[in-house]
Amino acid sequence: GAGVSQTPSNKVTEKGKYVELRCDPISGHTALYWYRQSLGQGPEFLIYFQGTGAADDSGLPNDRFFAVRPEGSVSTLKIQRTERGDSAVYLCASSPTGAGGTDTQYFGPGTRLTVL
Amino acid sequence: AQSVTQLGSHVSVSEGALVLLRCNYSSSVPPYLFWYVQYPNQGLQLLLKYTTGATLVKGINGFEAEFKKSETSFHLTKPSAHMSDAAEYFCAVSDRPGNTGKLIFGQGTTLQVKP
């Protein structure tokens, strides 16, 4: 079956612009996560959705970052007024339930964001 | 707060040699531990995980890891390295007691396999 897909695979933008990154999770997975991976670092948690609701957004670095999952499937990560420090690979993962903390997360290939 | 430390950002082994990638964790509650592998231009893939039960966990591609509570470690091993094992490896702990499933990753270890 299809895995997690993310679009675009690469995004180059200018400082101050707005960007949207899309994630299509595995069908039927209720849990969806966004992570950010800077060069030479491990992924860092941004936000967790359970269904349509953001159950934990404690990893969002500031109010320029926002994410939605309106129908409980596709999610969009939105970044306003981008800064050069936002340059990173943004990873999306989904898991069947998320509950209990033991589910395997299935990761997409990521979107590489470059802010010039 | 939970954390993960991977000792050695780069590990180089010869083909056929033992692979040992080190991971230590910090957690005030029994941890759920994971190893993921990342091949170039691909998403992270689960190698294995420990939640409860047997402390020696076997995963895909011949990898295994042992949970040692006394040493707060979860080192990854493979008896004989293949060229195809060259990749980046991440150890992670699942956030508890929130049990949302969000993962806290180490910084990663790049494994190089020499012919």
Side-chain angles (χ1 to χ4, degrees), chain B residues 53-103:
Chain B
T55 57
L56 181 61
V57 181
K58 295 186 184 299
I60 62 171
N61 301 338
F63 284 93
E64 62 183 36
E66 186 170 11
F67 169 62
K68 291 187 176 180
K69 182 179 178 181
S70 61
E71 299 178 8
T72 62
S73 69
F74 191 56
H75 301 331
L76 182 70
T77 61
K78 181 173 181 178
S80 176
H82 296 161
M83 296 296 293
S84 59
D85 294 327
E88 188 148 23
Y89 292 80
F90 293 95
C91 181
V93 62
S94 182
D95 177 58
R96 299 192 72 198
N99 286 342
T100 61
K102 73 181 184 185
L103 297 174

